[in-house]
Amino acid sequence: MNLIIVLFILVISFLLIKNEKEHLTNNTRWLEYRLGDIITGQCYRKKHERKYFNSIDKLYPGSIADEYIKNTNHLKKKRFYNYNILNNIVKERSKELKDLPKQDEVVIHLRIGDSIIGYKNGKFIYNERPKRFKSKTYAIKLESMDKILDDLSDVKKIILIFGSHKNNNNKYNDLYLKEIEKLIKKRNIIVEKKNSGNPDKDFLYMTNSRKFVKSNGMFSLIISKIIELNNGLIID
């Protein structure tokens, strides 16, 4: 009987650890799904990525990216993005959603995955962006988050949204999330982690927020553009 109990505990522990790791990564269907790069045309501008771009309807049928491409014909235009069309897609898909951010909640998008590449001497090592970008890293640095939270001292609740499109660096991602949580909790702000494993679902949730803290990268950028169209507040 004791052996059965021990085995049961081991199985439960394994499942909990497995779930803790998997919650950092998007569901298998959504791995390599890059909505931000698709909307802004980054995938189309690079010849070696056009095969991926032109296969969205087969790779991710029924997705926001699939619907957007079919409704824009932006392959023939110099400007690759149309935020009004994207906003209409968001509004239509949001009609049936019941779980949306409340007016007084702040939503923070955390870029993880390949953005946190190491941890040494008590500091995170971040993946750096190309020099042409003003923001040096994809992820929000811990010290930057500390300053952002100082300006949100009157906020009662913060929602953290994250999900990697690559299955890597989970050890560092998990540590990064825990450090972000500590910064929030020390200010006596309620924090809730809300990752679905589905980037389209997370995208709809975030674009419906009234106060949004953006990360760096195209995904956060297009979320910010939609929120601005609907008179929401962006904290950069």
Side-chain angles (χ1 to χ4, degrees):
M1 182 62 72
N2 288 337
L3 180 59
I4 294 174
I5 293 172
V6 171
L7 288 173
F8 177 77
I9 292 171
L10 288 173
V11 169
I12 294 298
S13 299
F14 171 77
L15 291 174
L16 288 173
I17 293 169
K18 185 173 184 290
N19 183 62
E20 182 68 17
K21 289 181 178 179
E22 287 183 344
H23 86 284
L24 300 169
T25 308
N26 291 335
N27 296 337
T28 304
R29 183 204 167 190
W30 297 102
L31 292 179
E32 302 301 333
Y33 179 69
R34 294 152 53 201
L35 182 61
D37 287 342
I38 292 165
I39 300 297
T40 58
Q42 297 297 316
C43 294
Y44 187 74
R45 289 189 182 97
K46 300 173 183 178
K47 288 184 178 180
H48 66 280
E49 291 196 45
R50 287 189 186 179
K51 183 178 178 181
Y52 165 79
F53 185 92
N54 293 326
S55 301
I56 295 301
D57 59 335
K58 299 179 182 64
L59 293 170
Y60 312 103
S63 65
I64 290 176
D66 182 26
E67 184 177 354
Y68 176 82
I69 289 171
K70 288 173 179 173
N71 280 278
T72 55
N73 193 30
H74 66 299
L75 295 180
K76 297 179 181 179
K77 298 178 182 178
K78 290 183 179 179
R79 291 186 66 182
F80 288 87
Y81 47 87
N82 187 317
Y83 292 120
N84 288 322
I85 288 177
L86 183 60
N87 192 31
N88 289 336
I89 292 172
V90 168
K91 286 184 176 180
E92 194 61 34
R93 291 191 177 218
S94 298
K95 286 180 180 178
E96 304 301 320
L97 299 180
K98 296 179 180 179
D99 181 25
L100 292 174
K102 294 180 174 61
Q103 292 281 337
D104 58 348
E105 293 175 344
V106 173
V107 176
I108 299 180
H109 175 225
L110 296 177
R111 173 79 182 253
I112 58 171
D114 55 358
S115 302
I116 317 292
I117 58 177
Y119 186 79
K120 189 176 182 180
N121 298 327
K123 290 187 177 182
F124 288 101
I125 302 170
Y126 302 94
N127 188 5
E128 295 191 358
R129 304 182 79 190
K131 292 182 179 179
R132 67 180 183 275
F133 292 106
K134 182 180 178 181
S135 50
K136 304 288 185 187
T137 60
Y138 289 97
I140 302 174
K141 287 186 175 182
L142 222 57
E143 53 268 33
S144 298
M145 181 61 75
D146 209 21
K147 292 177 183 178
I148 290 169
L149 291 171
D150 282 341
D151 295 331
L152 298 175
S153 56
D154 59 335
V155 172
K156 297 292 188 288
K157 186 174 182 179
I158 288 176
I159 312 291
L160 299 179
I161 306 284
F162 50 89
S164 174
H165 64 286
K166 293 181 181 292
N167 192 9
N168 59 1
N169 298 336
N170 277 341
K171 178 174 69 173
Y172 303 126
N173 291 327
D174 191 46
L175 183 58
Y176 174 74
L177 289 172
K178 286 176 180 176
E179 290 300 317
I180 295 290
E181 278 189 273
K182 283 181 187 177
L183 291 177
I184 298 171
K185 287 178 178 178
K186 81 175 185 179
R187 291 169 168 81
N188 295 317
I189 301 173
I190 297 170
V191 58
E192 181 181 348
K193 294 188 291 186
K194 207 172 184 62
N195 59 305
S196 67
N198 179 333
D200 271 3
K201 186 175 180 180
D202 292 342
F203 179 78
L204 291 174
Y205 186 89
M206 286 186 277
T207 50
N208 278 280
S209 58
R210 303 308 301 161
K211 294 180 181 178
F212 179 69
V213 178
K214 70 185 288 291
S215 189
N216 301 319
M218 297 303 171
F219 190 59
S220 238
L221 172 67
I222 62 174
I223 292 167
S224 300
K225 296 296 183 182
I226 299 303
I227 292 173
E228 286 175 340
L229 281 176
N230 296 293
N231 301 313
L233 174 66
I234 303 299
I235 301 164
D236 193 345

